[in-house]
Amino acid sequence: MFTDKDTFKQHFQEQFVGQLGKPLKEATSEDIYKVIGSMIREEVGKFWAQTNTSYRESGEKQVYYLSLEFLMGRLLGNNLLNLGALNVVRAGLSELGWDLEEIEEQEADAGLGNGGLGRLAACFMDSLASLQYAGHGCGIRYKYGLFEQRIVDGNQVELPDYWLQRGNVWEERRYDKRVEVSFWGRVETREENGRLVFDTVDAEGIWAVPYDVPLIGFGGRHINTLRIWSAEASENAVRQGMQAGGSYYKYLDYSRTVESITEFLYPDDSQYEGKLLRLKQQYFLCSAGLQSILRTFDKLELPYEELPNKVAIHINDTHPTLVIPELMRILIDMKGYGWDEAWSIVTRTVSYTNHTILSEALEKWPVVMVKDLLPRVYMIIEEINKRFCAELMEKYPDQPDRIAQMAVIHDDQVRMAHLAINGSHSINGVSQLHTDILKEKEMRSFYELYPERFNNKTNGITHRRWLMHANPELSRLYTESMGDGWMTNPYELSQILNYKEDAGFRQRIQQIKLRNKQKLAAYISHKFDTSVDPTSIFDVQVKRLHGYKRQLMNILHVMHLYNEIKANPSIDRVPRTFIFGAKAAPSYYLAKRIIKLINTVAETVNRDPQVRGKLKVFFLENYSVSLAERIIPAADISEQISTASKEASGTGNMKFMMNGALTIGTMDGANVEMYEMLGAENMFIFGLNAEQVNNYYQNGQYSSAGVLARDSRIAQVINQLIQPGPFCTHENEFEEIYHSLISHNDEYFVLEDFADYARAHRDIDAAYRDTENWTRKSIANLAHSGRFASDNTIHEYAREIWKLAEKKQLSMMNI
Ligand SMILES: *Cc1c(COP(=O)(O)O)cnc(C)c1O
């Protein structure tokens, strides 16, 4: 179908008429999108089936990546890329008068995630399939993904993201594979052949219906599965309801209540929501996922002692931790295993990734909630806790505090991280610094107890989406210069270091960056109806809005730059365009005020003729995967400025690096590992390090008011938050922000790091003037970015955590 342009065109024209029953000349872009989508589905169907058959026949170990979030973005372009059909389809469509990029725009982003954690899951799916591992995703098919953000009068307004409105060409509903998930009820105990047996009675059973999405590996032959589950009322409930004299309307109400379980994604990033519905979502995923995993395992007709050799279950953060007690329940109550045997099977099967040390993100469920919703599961959690505390008691007989501090159940709460550590054989952090902090501080007592379980797996990103698809011109230059080996072995990107001193190559790099900037400038110009200078420095911070990520420091610094120009209009500065993109959790008030501040500053700066040509500020609404793909290839500067120790890894930092932006950043998360490779000459590092931040928290000697007293530039900016002037229409307009910095002593050290941040920005200004040297730095970033390809990360997970058989190195020869 996709072998060459003419074959494609012929198939496409036939399919179009066949599927839509109208002539091609009446086509809309959406029609074209749907037809190409269905052609891809048809093309890969055979290989999808073959991949599954080969799994069944070989009996090779299967990995299931359980995650409440998969931030997939659009699939059309990446599927075409991995099928090797991108150029054929682009050329074929072009001859028919259509532009592929415009067709791609028809697809709704699959926004089933909040930010980094969900995007990591998506990058991992691409790497697993491309490296031909037997690895699948298991998630929830939310009817509404992450809200759509609009900016109205400078404020964030949330709109529902009904991404399924126009259908979803990629998914396959598999009603025959539905399973039942039970909530509520009570546990009855009886004796059977000298054994205690537990039955849950009066439970409410609902259907979990799977929808399968093919995950097309690079080369198009290896197809894994993303299985996302949707909640539906079961006929049983209907029948029982009717027998009990329920009305038709009551049933409709009931049905809606059931469906509400998979209605929407919780929009909180690095913040925990203790709502019952969220707990329901978590158990729904764990129960449905496990049933389908075990059904596949059962086909092998092996005893469950073999489960850890055939199945690895990985949990993405603590959200799916209930798989641990749920698998215990199945093994004990349904398969007849004793506690110790079952526990050994579970702990050898499950592994866990920790994503954050922010205390507000740690999941703790009230005991009463878990007990009511999941009575039998709760009994098992209680038993896990009892046995764990006994183990601790034996080990640390004279340290009762330590036992309380480590227990799974404490203060009438179930601590999910403790349960996850207890029930898995591997606990990994997502960057070296983050893992070190886990071991030395946050989870120190667990590390002392189980040192062999802790390990690091630094995050990665798929170079297929973030380089090949997002930056096709750069990809073309690579292949022209050094062949296509880098596509299957991204470490080969380091070969471009050979061209660093080649003036012609540097010029090509400069031209590509300029063209990417021109494209983004056109997009922004169109949105804001204003001109954007593509030769100015594009300085970008795009990520979720959060105190620790310090968008506030960035915008305060922009205010300072504005003040500087106003005080000295002839000041010599390289023109800058600051670009922001960030969604705030709807309930995160301070974050929303920061969005308002950014938009207020943008308005003042952009309409002031005195700074025209020197400074511009834009807040691009609705930051999402597809918007990221537009913005990142056009960035000169990547802002990775979190308070040291707070950002577990970051993956945005890696995307920018892979597109040749230079980073201004703190020694936090994976920035540290970038710095180890790039050195001070290729990165702009500033600010407190993790140890200094920790010392401040420990000794309490930080005073933000003290910083103000010492630095008049900061004092001026801070006053502008509350006094009518360029950024404040009325008194105290931004008083909450002001108070977070002054009355609440600046939890994230924005003021403390401000001076060094401003210094680093001056270094950027100086460095950018030397175009050739700047390009050399950019090339160093590009060259070392292969290290952060998720293919490497996945090889490490496969080898060290999941214990999969080695895969031979792929090459373009066998793709
Ligand atoms: C990569 C990505 C993130 C994560 O960005 P960080 O800078 O690592 O926080 C969040 N949202 C989207 C849409 C992304 O593509």
Side-chain angles (χ1 to χ4, degrees):
M1 239 177 311
F2 299 109
T3 45
D4 62 83
K5 189 179 60 186
D6 294 320
T7 317
F8 163 71
K9 269 168 62 183
Q10 193 201 328
H11 273 278
F12 172 74
Q13 285 164 315
E14 283 168 20
Q15 294 266 342
F16 186 93
V17 179
Q19 284 182 28
L20 299 184
K22 66 179 186 184
L24 186 56
K25 63 177 194 296
E26 287 174 21
T28 65
S29 339
E30 192 188 339
D31 294 336
I32 311 257
Y33 162 69
K34 284 203 168 146
V35 171
I36 299 175
S38 72
M39 286 170 72
I40 294 173
R41 271 285 296 104
E42 192 182 330
E43 172 85 359
V44 302
K46 183 173 76 187
F47 300 111
W48 199 2
Q50 269 173 20
T51 306
N52 280 320
T53 307
S54 85
Y55 288 156
R56 198 153 47 236
E57 286 170 357
S58 69
E60 78 175 283
K61 187 169 179 180
Q62 305 286 306
V63 178
Y64 298 94
Y65 195 83
L66 264 62
S67 179
L68 271 284
E69 302 190 13
F70 286 91
L71 189 47
M72 302 296 282
R74 292 182 176 139
L75 294 179
L76 179 65
N78 282 84
N79 283 346
L80 286 172
L81 174 79
N82 284 6
L83 281 170
L86 199 52
N87 293 331
V88 164
V89 170
R90 187 183 290 115
L93 282 180
S94 160
E95 286 186 7
L96 295 169
W98 294 92
D99 171 32
L100 178 59
E101 268 186 46
E102 188 199 321
I103 303 302
E104 289 186 58
E105 295 285 317
Q106 299 307 308
E107 181 171 1
D109 271 46
L112 308 184
N114 273 288
L117 175 152
R119 185 53 231 173
L120 184 75
C123 283
F124 280 4
M125 292 303 107
D126 187 57
S127 285
L128 281 165
S130 293
L131 300 172
Q132 307 190 358
Y133 283 114
H136 312 280
C138 186
I140 291 181
R141 182 177 178 273
Y142 301 105
K143 189 164 159 195
Y144 297 94
L146 183 60
F147 65 85
E148 184 185 328
Q149 178 195 55
R150 293 271 176 84
I151 301 299
V152 179
D153 293 335
N155 290 303
Q156 167 173 302
V157 172
E158 302 94 20
L159 299 179
D161 166 48
Y162 190 19
W163 67 295
L164 295 166
Q165 189 150 49
R166 294 165 178 219
N168 178 3
V169 286
W170 308 113
E171 69 185 11
E172 211 55 65
R173 176 178 164 95
R174 303 224 193 265
Y175 190 67
D176 58 312
K177 299 242 165 98
R178 71 197 179 279
V179 299
E180 193 175 46
V181 174
S182 297
F183 296 107
W184 313 109
R186 63 203 148 73
V187 179
E188 286 183 351
T189 320
R190 64 192 159 83
E191 220 184 270
E192 197 178 277
N193 308 326
R195 261 182 70 113
L196 268 187
V197 177
F198 300 90
D199 301 310
T200 306
V201 298
D202 294 339
E204 175 191 334
I206 65 165
W207 285 132
V209 179
Y211 289 70
D212 287 354
V213 179
L215 299 163
I216 304 172
F218 192 58
R221 293 292 179 270
H222 193 93
I223 321 281
N224 286 332
T225 302
L226 171 63
R227 174 162 282 184
I228 47 181
W229 298 88
S230 183
E232 295 182 18
S234 82
E235 311 85 270
N236 251 351
V238 184
R239 218 168 293 125
Q240 282 164 12
M242 293 294 178
Q243 275 160 10
S247 75
Y248 176 64
Y249 293 104
K250 264 204 178 130
Y251 168 67
L252 292 185
D253 278 347
Y254 170 73
S255 170
R256 265 195 296 274
T257 317
V258 169
E259 287 163 16
S260 74
I261 294 173
T262 52
E263 186 100 327
F264 70 96
L265 166 79
Y266 275 90
D268 303 272
D269 186 74
S270 306
Q271 235 174 339
Y272 145 73
E273 259 289 358
K275 296 255 167 52
L276 176 67
L277 188 59
R278 172 73 173 172
L279 184 64
K280 276 189 169 179
Q281 290 184 339
Q282 296 187 347
Y283 181 70
F284 177 80
L285 170 67
C286 293
S287 167
L290 259 182
Q291 290 182 65
S292 117
I293 291 166
L294 295 182
R295 193 153 60 189
T296 304
F297 172 77
D298 284 340
K299 292 195 184 131
L300 300 173
E301 300 185 3
L302 293 170
Y304 275 75
E305 283 82 354
E306 282 297 312
L307 189 72
N309 299 325
K310 294 294 176 189
V311 170
I313 296 176
H314 198 90
I315 57 178
N316 194 22
D317 213 318
T318 55
H319 316 146
T321 300
L322 290 171
V323 280
I324 292 167
E326 176 64 6
L327 184 52
M328 285 299 283
R329 185 185 72 79
I330 294 172
L331 292 173
I332 293 170
D333 291 357
M334 299 165 79
K335 310 290 176 186
Y337 283 88
W339 183 277
D340 292 332
E341 298 160 294
W343 188 244
S344 159
I345 293 169
V346 170
T347 51
R348 284 180 297 134
T349 303
V350 178
S351 47
Y352 153 57
T353 296
N354 174 282
H355 279 271
T356 178
I357 52 170
L358 297 181
S359 55
E360 64 268 33
L362 289 184
E363 293 195 294
K364 298 182 194 88
W365 292 105
V367 160
V368 282
M369 205 189 266
V370 184
K371 203 176 190 167
D372 283 353
L373 185 69
L374 309 164
R376 179 60 183 144
V377 169
Y378 179 72
M379 285 174 76
I380 289 169
I381 296 174
E382 222 171 24
E383 183 66 22
I384 292 172
N385 182 51
K386 206 175 94 193
R387 287 170 186 249
F388 180 54
C389 289
E391 180 188 331
L392 292 175
M393 210 87 83
E394 199 161 298
K395 210 152 175 147
Y396 312 109
D398 44 6
Q399 299 180 48
D401 289 353
R402 188 180 183 118
I403 295 163
Q405 180 236 323
M406 294 176 77
V408 173
I409 301 174
H410 185 72
D411 263 352
D412 295 319
Q413 290 181 317
V414 182
R415 299 151 153 180
M416 301 309 263
H418 296 197
L419 183 55
I421 297 171
N422 238 283
S424 35
H425 62 85
S426 166
I427 298 119
N428 73 282
V430 289
S431 73
Q432 195 55 59
L433 176 68
H434 170 57
T435 301
D436 290 344
I437 293 173
L438 286 181
K439 289 193 204 174
E440 285 158 26
K441 301 230 137 55
E442 236 54 40
M443 297 185 165
R444 187 185 185 128
S445 21
F446 288 96
Y447 176 59
E448 284 167 359
L449 187 64
Y450 305 126
E452 71 291 344
R453 293 189 190 182
F454 284 77
N455 63 90
N456 176 247
K457 295 288 168 283
T458 300
N459 281 168
I461 55 167
T462 170
H463 65 293
R464 285 167 292 274
R465 180 176 293 265
W466 297 108
L467 170 55
M468 296 170 74
H469 184 252
N471 204 338
E473 278 206 60
L474 185 59
S475 305
R476 215 168 301 130
L477 172 62
Y478 285 163
T479 302
E480 275 173 36
S481 314
M482 58 186 176
D484 52 18
W486 62 275
M487 293 185 182
T488 47
N489 180 11
Y491 272 114
E492 284 187 21
L493 289 177
S494 65
Q495 288 175 10
I496 63 159
L497 285 176
N498 298 332
Y499 301 90
K500 209 164 97 175
E501 296 311 321
D502 176 338
F505 185 86
R506 287 201 305 271
Q507 201 185 7
R508 295 281 300 276
I509 292 282
Q510 291 156 15
Q511 287 164 346
I512 291 168
K513 183 60 83 183
L514 180 62
R515 270 196 294 273
N516 289 337
K517 288 167 73 175
Q518 284 164 339
K519 275 203 210 165
L520 181 62
Y523 174 84
I524 300 174
S525 290
H526 178 72
K527 290 255 157 186
F528 289 84
D529 198 20
T530 178
S531 67
V532 180
D533 175 10
T535 65
S536 63
I537 299 177
F538 278 21
D539 185 318
V540 183
Q541 187 173 21
V542 286
K543 49 182 76 244
R544 283 302 288 260
L545 212 138
H546 209 293
Y548 81 83
K549 290 177 183 280
R550 298 201 290 192
Q551 283 94 349
L552 177 56
M553 186 167 69
N554 188 344
I555 197 65
L556 293 176
H557 175 254
V558 173
M559 289 161 67
H560 159 65
L561 292 180
Y562 176 84
N563 294 337
E564 249 186 1
I565 300 172
K566 294 297 277 186
N568 176 10
S570 64
I571 195 168
D572 181 25
R573 288 269 186 263
V574 181
R576 284 244 200 159
T577 302
F578 286 92
I579 296 168
F580 291 84
K583 287 180 183 175
S587 62
Y588 193 166
Y589 182 71
L590 198 60
K592 289 181 151 181
R593 293 306 293 162
I594 292 170
I595 289 178
K596 172 71 177 175
L597 177 63
I598 295 170
N599 283 307
T600 304
V601 172
E603 250 196 60
T604 299
V605 168
N606 296 351
R607 67 155 187 253
D608 187 335
Q610 257 189 325
V611 302
R612 191 150 298 154
K614 294 203 173 79
L615 199 56
K616 283 259 161 116
V617 184
F618 296 102
F619 186 98
L620 303 188
E621 66 187 1
N622 202 36
Y623 183 57
S624 56
V625 173
S626 53
L627 188 54
E629 289 178 60
R630 220 186 248 285
I631 295 172
I632 292 171
D636 296 306
I637 287 292
S638 159
E639 299 265 354
Q640 306 300 335
I641 58 177
S642 53
T643 309
S645 79
K646 299 285 181 183
E647 187 76 88
S649 163
T651 49
N653 46 4
M654 302 166 184
K655 299 169 196 165
F656 282 97
M657 183 188 189
M658 202 174 264
N659 284 280
L662 273 56
T663 300
I664 179 169
T666 46
M667 286 298 250
D668 199 16
N671 294 356
V672 177
E673 286 155 76
M674 286 165 56
Y675 181 76
E676 280 165 10
M677 284 185 300
L678 292 169
E681 67 276 22
N682 297 312
M683 222 174 149
F684 300 93
I685 294 291
F686 72 94
L688 298 172
N689 63 30
E691 197 184 323
Q692 292 169 319
V693 166
N694 185 56
N695 286 342
Y696 267 137
Y697 283 133
Q698 302 260 304
N699 66 27
Q701 305 212 318
Y702 175 59
S703 155
S704 59
V707 181
L708 273 198
R710 289 194 298 274
D711 194 326
S712 61
R713 301 168 305 173
I714 304 179
Q716 182 186 6
V717 165
I718 296 304
N719 281 327
Q720 286 172 328
L721 292 174
I722 48 170
Q723 270 156 27
F727 307 117
C728 224
T729 54
H730 56 272
E731 198 157 340
N732 291 333
E733 182 170 5
F734 295 107
E735 62 176 345
E736 300 88 354
I737 297 176
Y738 176 89
H739 286 306
S740 79
L741 294 171
I742 307 304
S743 326
H744 300 126
N745 203 28
D746 183 16
E747 186 183 354
Y748 299 111
F749 304 103
V750 167
L751 302 191
E752 170 71 24
D753 274 350
F754 186 94
D756 203 28
Y757 180 57
R759 187 272 311 156
H761 269 298
R762 285 194 298 276
D763 290 351
I764 289 171
D765 184 286
Y768 195 80
R769 292 163 194 261
D770 183 347
T771 307
E772 294 310 314
N773 247 325
W774 182 273
T775 310
R776 286 188 185 91
K777 295 177 201 292
S778 177
I779 290 172
N781 275 269
L782 295 168
H784 291 293
S785 68
R787 145 88 225 274
F788 296 108
S790 48
D791 286 10
N792 305 318
T793 318
I794 282 298
H795 276 311
E796 287 173 22
Y797 273 87
R799 196 168 53 236
E800 295 163 22
I801 299 180
W802 303 327
K803 309 283 178 354
L804 304 185
E806 287 283 330
K807 291 282 165 183
K808 67 174 192 306
Q809 176 68 52
L810 298 177
S811 81
M812 292 305 286
M813 299 288 285
N814 45 37
I815 291 272

